[in-house]
Amino acid sequence: MDSSHTRRDATRRKLFEAAVTLIAEQGFSSTTVDEIAERAGVAKGTVYYNFASKNVLFEELLRHGIELLATSLQTAADEVTDRGGSRIDALDAMIRAGLDFIARYPALTQLYVAELWRTNRAWQSTLMVVRQRAITVVEGVLREAVASGELSEEIDIPLTASALFGMVLVAALDWQSYQPDRSIDDVHAALSRLLQGRVTGHSA
C-alpha cells in the first residue's frame, strides 16, 4: 500500500514537472496530453489515470505549486520567530524563501504570472484561491507585526501583503530573465532594503 502510494506520488510529480515546463514554454492551449506524457516518460493513459483532463491537471498543478510556496514562506517565518526574531525579520526571511522557491521552480512562476492576466480560463476561481493561500501567510505575519507594535495600525494589511508577494514575483522574474548574472544574495539584499524602508518607514 505504502509502496503503491509512493509510486503514484512520484508519477504525479513527474507529470507536474513535465506539464509546467511545457505549458510555460508553449502555452496551455498548444500543449497536448501526449506531449506531457512523453516529457514525463509515462504512457498517455497514465495521465488520465491520475487526472481526469488536462484542465484538471493544470488546476492541480497550480494548487500543488502554491502550496509548496506557502509552506516554504510559513516555515521561513516560523524559524525566525522561534529564534526570537522580529516579525520584520520574519517578513525578510519570507522574501528570501520566495526567491529561493522561484529560483528552484522558474517555469511554475512564469506560468502563474502569465495566467494571472487571463480572464477566460475555466480555472480562474482556482487561481484566485491558490493566490490567496500564499498571500494569507504574509497577511498573518503582518497582523502579528501590527499586534506587537512593530508596524503601524494604519497599514493596509491585505494590500501590503499583495504588494510584497508581487514584488518578489516580479523582481525574481526580472532577475532571471534580464539580470541572471546577479546573485540571489544580491537580489535579496535589494528587496530587503525596500522592505525596511517602505514597509517599516525607516532605513535598515
Side-chain angles (χ1 to χ4, degrees), residues 103-114:
R104 184 176 180 184
Y105 301 105
L108 176 62
T109 308
Q110 291 166 10
L111 180 58
Y112 171 79
V113 171

Side-chain angles (χ1 to χ4, degrees), residues 3 12 21 26 39 49 64 70 84-85 90 112-113 117 119 128 131 169 173 178 193 199:
S3 176
R12 288 170 71 91
T21 302
Q26 58 194 36
R39 180 70 65 95
Y49 175 77
H64 177 72
Y112 171 79
V113 171
W117 297 102
T119 58
M128 294 303 100
R131 169 191 171 277
L169 281 179
L173 288 176
Y178 302 111
R193 285 191 289 271
V199 175

Side-chain angles (χ1 to χ4, degrees), residues 9-25:
D9 282 348
T11 298
R12 288 170 71 91
R13 278 197 302 273
K14 287 194 294 184
L15 289 171
F16 280 136
E17 291 170 5
V20 71
T21 302
L22 284 167
I23 294 170
E25 288 174 357

Side-chain angles (χ1 to χ4, degrees), residues 65-95:
I66 296 300
E67 186 60 37
L68 286 175
L69 173 58
T71 299
S72 176
L73 297 177
Q74 188 66 66
T75 299
D78 290 345
E79 288 176 350
V80 170
T81 54
D82 287 348
R83 295 195 304 266
S86 70
R87 299 307 188 281
I88 301 303
D89 291 335
L91 287 170
D92 187 58
M94 293 170 86
I95 288 175

Side-chain angles (χ1 to χ4, degrees), residues 97-175:
L99 291 173
D100 285 337
F101 180 88
I102 292 168
R104 184 176 180 184
Y105 301 105
L108 176 62
T109 308
Q110 291 166 10
L111 180 58
Y112 171 79
V113 171
E115 290 300 320
L116 281 178
W117 297 102
R118 300 182 188 275
T119 58
N120 61 341
R121 299 299 203 198
W123 53 77
Q124 272 298 302
S125 59
T126 298
L127 191 61
M128 294 303 100
V129 169
V130 298
R131 169 191 171 277
Q132 191 57 44
R133 170 71 180 96
I135 289 178
T136 295
V137 176
V138 184
E139 288 180 348
V141 177
L142 287 171
R143 287 195 175 88
E144 292 172 359
V146 170
S148 66
E150 293 179 55
L151 293 178
S152 168
E153 293 181 358
E154 297 179 357
I155 190 172
D156 186 322
I157 290 176
L159 186 57
T160 301
S162 296
L164 288 172
F165 184 68
M167 176 184 74
V168 174
L169 281 179
V170 174
L173 288 176
D174 184 85
W175 158 46

